[in-house]
Amino acid sequence: MQETRQNRISRLLQKELATIFQEQTRQMHGVMVSVTRVKISPDLSICTAYLSIFPSEKSEEILKNVTANTKTIRYDLGCRVRNQLRIIPELRFFIDDSLDYIERIDELLKK
């Protein structure tokens, strides 16, 4: 039963975080941030979000910016999900480099 609730909440958080990042990156032309996966702890207090950033050259810079603005993002998330969640989880962001990894494997296989 607990896993079902975790999955439901992680999907909700993924959708809302994606919307927040879409609105924030609209001013930055040529940059796209998508939320590929969200994991939430069993006690619903920690949310780990994996971000896919295009172009990947700017990923470290954008991740530093996102990490610096975690409190603002958490506040925006809280405004969006205040009716569904009692406690807004602490946010942690990581880069999802699975696409770069797949691309690298494809290049190695072509050689």
Side-chain angles (χ1 to χ4, degrees):
M1 189 67 180
Q2 183 68 16
E3 288 182 11
T4 306
R5 184 166 186 230
Q6 279 180 284
N7 291 337
R8 202 173 72 231
I9 290 173
S10 66
R11 283 193 310 265
L12 172 71
L13 294 176
Q14 181 177 4
K15 186 183 113 195
E16 296 299 334
L17 283 172
T19 307
I20 290 169
F21 285 124
Q22 184 180 19
E23 290 172 358
Q24 288 184 353
T25 58
R26 193 167 286 152
Q27 293 89 17
M28 301 168 53
H29 298 289
V31 175
M32 187 172 75
V33 177
S34 59
V35 183
T36 56
R37 186 174 46 166
V38 171
K39 290 183 179 179
I40 192 146
S41 63
D43 62 350
L44 308 177
S45 65
I46 299 172
C47 172
T48 305
Y50 293 90
L51 306 176
S52 177
I53 301 171
F54 179 81
S56 59
E57 296 85 36
K58 295 184 177 182
S59 60
E60 291 295 327
E61 174 188 345
I62 292 175
L63 183 66
K64 285 180 185 176
N65 190 5
V66 167
T67 307
N69 293 318
T70 301
K71 289 182 181 182
T72 306
I73 296 168
R74 185 176 180 201
Y75 175 77
D76 290 343
L77 182 66
C79 290
R80 291 175 177 270
V81 299
R82 67 175 175 246
N83 295 328
Q84 287 98 358
L85 296 177
R86 185 178 298 166
I87 297 171
I88 306 305
E90 175 188 336
L91 300 174
R92 295 182 181 167
F93 297 103
F94 295 99
I95 294 177
D96 182 17
D97 56 355
S98 60
L99 292 176
D100 295 334
Y101 182 71
I102 291 170
E103 199 173 289
R104 184 166 173 259
I105 288 176
D106 284 342
E107 288 177 12
L108 291 174
L109 288 174
K110 286 179 183 177
K111 292 180 183 178

